[in-house]
Amino acid sequence: MPGGTGDDARGTGAGATALGRSFAAALTEGLSRSVASRAYALPGRPAAGAVLPDPYADAVLRRFAEALPAASAGEGRYGSGAREASVRRARELLRDVFGLAAPAGPDGPPSADGAPPARREEAAVVTLLLECAVRAVLEEGPFEASARRPPELVRALGRRLREVAPDPVRIG
């Protein structure tokens, strides 16, 4: 900086202004892409494109993703990978019950190693789905446009829970 003014020819003019604007635009675009690509890992947010086409199924999945961090907080082994697998499994179960087609791309295995979820993890997912199914109806209404009525979803999830419960409860 000659003379301490900071006004030498290299840092002034339209070229520097255009360069600054280009840099700011590129930085903003890169940050937006980064946030969008990581949205799946943020607590309470399903993966981009993970919206289910049935309004009731989607409301249940949103509540599931929002409730999962608090529901799994007591279990230290529940990192973001396990949460992602739980959300994927919840989405698979809801697709199955609602008769929804899987997306064109692979949704990934239920667990990081490709093995099916253990009975305990499956029971935890189904239990939280049951809670979220009831909350969705209580908070948003009956979902008239849905392919399934709330009692149908609750029955299907209850059957699944009885199948996978670590210590099945036998009645009568």
Side-chain angles (χ1 to χ4, degrees):
M1 286 194 219
T5 64
D7 288 336
D8 65 6
R10 291 175 290 172
T12 61
T17 302
L19 181 62
R21 285 187 187 138
S22 296
F23 175 76
L27 180 62
T28 301
E29 181 182 339
L31 289 172
S32 296
R33 264 191 264 138
S34 174
V35 168
S37 69
R38 288 179 4 117
Y40 67 88
L42 299 174
R45 302 226 8 224
V51 174
L52 294 173
D54 185 284
Y56 184 32
D58 189 55
V60 172
L61 183 62
R62 276 185 288 123
R63 279 172 179 75
F64 181 89
E66 290 167 1
L68 188 59
S72 61
E75 300 183 30
R77 62 179 171 62
Y78 241 84
S80 65
R83 281 194 290 268
E84 290 172 34
S86 293
V87 171
R88 269 195 309 272
R89 183 61 186 142
R91 191 179 308 115
E92 291 169 1
L93 288 166
L94 289 170
R95 276 195 204 116
D96 185 46
V97 171
F98 282 84
L100 303 171
D107 201 18
S111 65
D113 62 2
R119 291 172 67 96
R120 181 175 177 182
E121 282 79 18
E122 181 83 351
V125 167
V126 175
T127 301
L128 188 55
L129 274 174
L130 274 166
E131 177 186 327
C132 294
V134 173
R135 282 187 43 227
V137 172
L138 293 174
E139 294 170 1
E140 291 188 43
F143 294 96
E144 298 296 332
S146 177
R148 296 282 180 259
R149 305 279 44 103
E152 294 172 314
L153 176 58
V154 170
R155 267 189 236 108
L157 292 173
R159 273 192 307 272
R160 182 67 186 151
L161 184 57
R162 285 188 301 276
E163 292 171 5
V164 300
D167 298 315
V169 176
R170 303 287 180 214
I171 300 175

